[in-house]
């Protein structure tokens, strides 16, 4: 049975795509349906699916970043991008090594994509072709409108409420229903789950390195691997180290 991961942050669109896939490809096994890029990357690394349907714009890691990590995390997985963008992106897709679906996904277009996936040999895209396509799309897509990133936040430290500039945050870490905000001065608690932060932080500066951790790239002193391949992040202003889930290590390959 062909295995598949679906990643789409909008719940209604995700459920619609899952329903259409069930009709168009009954023998397809959807092993994970994810609502952000970090969860998608971890699911792909864990399940090694044959196909991944990736929304391009997702909180945390974009679909492009997930795809760029697949050469290491799951090299045989074939990518289908799901996008709301028009011709300037479509031109790049049609010259590239992956398929694409335009939102809202329609049954006829999905049937054509499924037919192509079934016909092709079960192997991932050529790494050089995929890298070139991702680079081209990465230059084009940031021109799309995006909300201004979060600049400051308020978090509690004991009985005190602190105003914290986001640039001063070394990392965010999930703590049950709350999120720990760690700066050089110490920790505070934010009454917001970590996934909601992925929607409002600057994605060029803050990167998810674990399901429960987002790090400020400007706060990183070094990144290394231990014997198991797990990444270890050393910080400029904090003594503790942070763990990087193995699939996320591919994000540091060009740094």
């Amino acid at each position: 049975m062909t295995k598949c991961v679906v990643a789409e942050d909008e719940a209604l669109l995700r459920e619609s795509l899952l329903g259409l896939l069930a009709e168009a490809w009954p023998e397809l096994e959807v092993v994970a349906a994810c609502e952000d890029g970090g969860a998608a990357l971890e699911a792909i690394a864990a399940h090694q699916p044959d196909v991944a349907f990736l929304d391009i714009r997702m909180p945390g890691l974009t679909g492009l970043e997930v795809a760029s990590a697949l050469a290491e995390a799951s090299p045989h997985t074939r990518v289908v991008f799901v996008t709301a963008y028009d011709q300037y992106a479509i031109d790049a897709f049609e010259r590239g090594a992956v398929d694409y679906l335009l939102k809202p996904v329609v049954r006829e277009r999905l049937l054509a994509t499924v037919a192509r996936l079934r016909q092709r040999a079960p192997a991932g895209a050529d790494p050089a072709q995929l890298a070139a396509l991702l680079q081209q799309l990465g230059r084009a897509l940031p021109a799309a409108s995006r909300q201004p990133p979060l600049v400051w936040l308020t978090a509690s430290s004991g009985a005190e409420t602190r105003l914290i500039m986001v640039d001063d945050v070394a990392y965010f870490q999930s703590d049950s229903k709350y999120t720990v905000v760690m700066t050089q001065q110490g920790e505070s608690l934010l009454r917001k789950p970590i996934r909601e932060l992925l929607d409002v932080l600057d994605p060029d500066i803050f990167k998810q390195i674990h399901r429960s951790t987002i790090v400020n790239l400007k706060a990183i002193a070094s990144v290394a691997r231990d014997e198991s391949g797990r990444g270890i992040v050393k910080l400029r202003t904090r003594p503790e180290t942070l763990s990087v889930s193995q699939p996320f290590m591919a994000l540091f390959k060009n740094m």
Side-chain angles (χ1 to χ4, degrees), residues 17 22 27 71 80 132 150 153 170 177 179 196 220 224 234 245 254:
L17 178 55
E27 64 273 28
V80 178
L150 188 68
L153 53 85
K177 296 180 181 179
T179 298
E196 291 184 17
I220 294 177
K234 291 185 178 180
S245 293
N254 295 322

Side-chain angles (χ1 to χ4, degrees), residues 61-195:
L61 303 181
T62 66
L64 301 182
E65 290 173 315
V66 174
S68 70
L70 295 190
E72 183 172 333
S74 184
H76 77 280
T77 298
R78 291 149 67 193
V79 173
V80 178
F81 283 121
V82 185
T83 178
Y85 300 104
D86 280 327
Q87 198 58 47
Y88 69 95
I90 301 310
D91 290 344
F93 284 128
E94 291 182 342
R95 290 194 297 270
V98 297
D99 207 342
Y100 67 93
L101 294 168
L102 280 178
K103 296 181 184 181
V105 177
V106 296
R107 185 174 181 273
E108 293 72 17
R109 181 68 178 84
L110 180 60
L111 285 171
T113 296
V114 168
R116 280 193 292 273
L117 289 169
R118 283 172 156 167
Q119 289 169 3
R120 294 176 191 165
D126 175 79
Q129 270 190 303
L130 183 57
L133 174 63
L134 295 177
Q135 186 176 36
Q136 182 178 356
L137 288 169
R139 288 194 299 266
L141 292 177
S145 61
R146 181 171 31 176
Q147 287 187 339
L150 188 68
V151 175
W152 58 272
L153 53 85
T154 57
S156 59
S157 179
E160 182 180 67
T161 298
R162 293 179 176 174
L163 189 152
I164 300 172
M165 302 305 293
V166 171
D167 283 346
D168 295 332
V169 177
Y171 62 92
F172 297 92
Q173 198 154 54
S174 179
D175 180 24
S176 186
K177 296 180 181 179
Y178 303 98
T179 298
V180 172
V181 182
M182 193 66 73
T183 66
Q184 185 174 6
Q185 289 71 38
E187 71 175 60
S188 304
L189 283 179
L190 182 66
R191 294 178 179 271
K192 183 188 288 284
I194 201 165
R195 188 189 176 277

Side-chain angles (χ1 to χ4, degrees), residues 206-253:
F206 288 89
K207 295 293 185 183
Q208 191 173 17
I209 59 170
H210 189 279
R211 183 179 291 273
S212 63
T213 309
I214 302 171
V215 68
N216 184 342
L217 294 181
K218 295 178 180 179
I220 294 177
S222 65
V223 183
R225 290 182 187 266
D226 62 15
E227 296 79 5
S228 67
R230 185 189 63 170
I232 303 294
V233 167
K234 291 185 178 180
L235 301 166
R236 299 182 187 278
T237 59
R238 300 287 313 171
E240 66 271 21
T241 59
L242 303 176
S243 295
V244 185
S245 293
Q246 191 165 349
F248 289 84
M249 280 300 292
L251 303 175
F252 293 98
K253 62 186 177 183

